[in-house]
């Protein structure tokens, strides 16, 4: 398995889940959970990128987190809760495993080590969300785009990222023209190559230096609590 959480489970915990895990395709725009609706399954991706969206009563949305092969979703499942006011869907297609929440919740109740690992993952999501808010408030869109591309790269095998302008605009909470302009800036520095529906990372080290303190704190917290993301 290529899911980080499943790989890090104690052998006994993994065996407890294996008989209930079902392989699942995760196509782009597949909805994993709707706001305030009971959720039957939790998902452990092995590839692809998902988005966690906050939704206002009037239907306005903003992206508050992403996840991929390093984690799982929906985040409320980490607390044995079957609903939350978030929408969760796939931004980049992939595959993975799903499990009925009744089986996941029973396993969490019976295993302290599983609860500890998933609680640590929950902490990394809290930190990611907090620093997304901070970065959106304090950094230029070019630096924020560099951070977003690094975050997607962390969750992708290889240097080619399947990202659309709409996805990046949602991550940055800006309009598509701002994404186009920022991509041109990063291309001009030769950090990336941008093509339709795809960005290739040419120089990750330089891209990370350009992002500055917009990137790194949430990632260090993940490493401290769980281990390497890539």
């Amino acid at each position: 398995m290529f899911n980080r959480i499943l790989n890090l489970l104690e052998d006994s915990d993994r065996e407890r889940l294996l008989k209930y895990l079902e392989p699942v395709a995760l196509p782009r725009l597949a909805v994993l959970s709707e706001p305030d609706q009971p959720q039957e399954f939790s998902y452990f991706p092995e590839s692809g990128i998902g988005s966690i969206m906050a939704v206002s009563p009037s239907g306005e949305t903003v992206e508050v987190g992403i996840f991929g092969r390093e984690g799982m979703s929906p985040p409320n499942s980490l607390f044995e809760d079957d609903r939350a006011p978030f929408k969760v869907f796939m931004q980049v297609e992939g595959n993975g495993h799903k499990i009925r929440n009744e089986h996941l919740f029973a396993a969490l109740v019976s295993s302290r080590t599983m609860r500890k690992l998933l609680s640590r993952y929950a902490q990394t999501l809290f930190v990611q969300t907090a620093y997304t808010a901070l970065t959106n408030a304090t950094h230029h869109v070019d630096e924020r785009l560099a951070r977003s591309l690094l975050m997607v790269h962390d969750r992708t095998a290889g240097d080619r990222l399947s990202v659309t302008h709409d996805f990046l605009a949602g991550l940055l909470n800006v309009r598509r023209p701002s994404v186009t302009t920022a991509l041109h800036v990063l291309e001009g520095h030769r950090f990336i190559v941008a093509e339709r529906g795809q960005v290739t990372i040419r120089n990750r080290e330089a891209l990370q230096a350009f992002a500055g303190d917009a990137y790194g704190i949430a990632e260090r917290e993940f490493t401290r609590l769980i281990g390497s993301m890539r």
Side-chain angles (χ1 to χ4, degrees), residues 157-175:
D159 295 330
R160 292 186 177 183
L161 316 181
S162 298
V163 291
T164 65
H165 276 56
D166 285 339
F167 176 26
L168 294 173
L171 278 175
L172 301 175
N173 196 26
V174 298
R175 297 183 183 277

Side-chain angles (χ1 to χ4, degrees), residues 120-202:
R120 284 173 173 251
Y121 176 63
Q123 170 71 2
T124 71
L125 284 178
F126 296 153
V127 175
Q128 182 195 143
T129 299
Y131 279 87
T132 294
L134 178 64
T135 299
N136 285 346
T138 60
H139 287 79
H140 191 273
V141 65
D142 301 346
E143 297 165 325
R144 289 157 53 197
L145 177 60
R147 172 186 186 256
S148 294
L149 292 175
L150 289 164
M151 290 173 66
V152 174
H153 192 218
D154 288 338
R155 295 162 173 82
T156 302
D159 295 330
R160 292 186 177 183
L161 316 181
S162 298
V163 291
T164 65
H165 276 56
D166 285 339
F167 176 26
L168 294 173
L171 278 175
L172 301 175
N173 196 26
V174 298
R175 297 183 183 277
R176 283 171 52 103
S178 297
V179 173
T180 300
T181 300
L183 284 171
H184 288 162
V185 170
L186 300 187
E187 271 198 300
H189 288 298
R190 303 180 67 82
F191 301 151
I192 65 169
V193 175
E195 302 171 273
R196 184 177 180 86
Q198 179 176 282
V199 171
T200 301
I201 304 297
R202 296 185 62 182

Side-chain angles (χ1 to χ4, degrees), residues 33-39 52-57 60-62 64 74-76 81-88:
S33 69
E34 292 280 10
D36 299 315
Q37 297 299 310
Q39 298 150 11
I52 304 168
M53 309 289 290
V55 184
S56 75
E60 296 294 324
T61 62
V62 65
V64 297
N76 46 284
D81 188 9
D82 72 346
R83 68 195 69 193
F86 304 119
K87 180 174 183 176
V88 180

Side-chain angles (χ1 to χ4, degrees), residues 105-116:
F105 295 170
L108 286 169
V109 168
S110 63
S111 172
R112 184 189 67 82
T113 53
M114 188 183 301
R115 289 197 306 275
K116 180 178 179 180

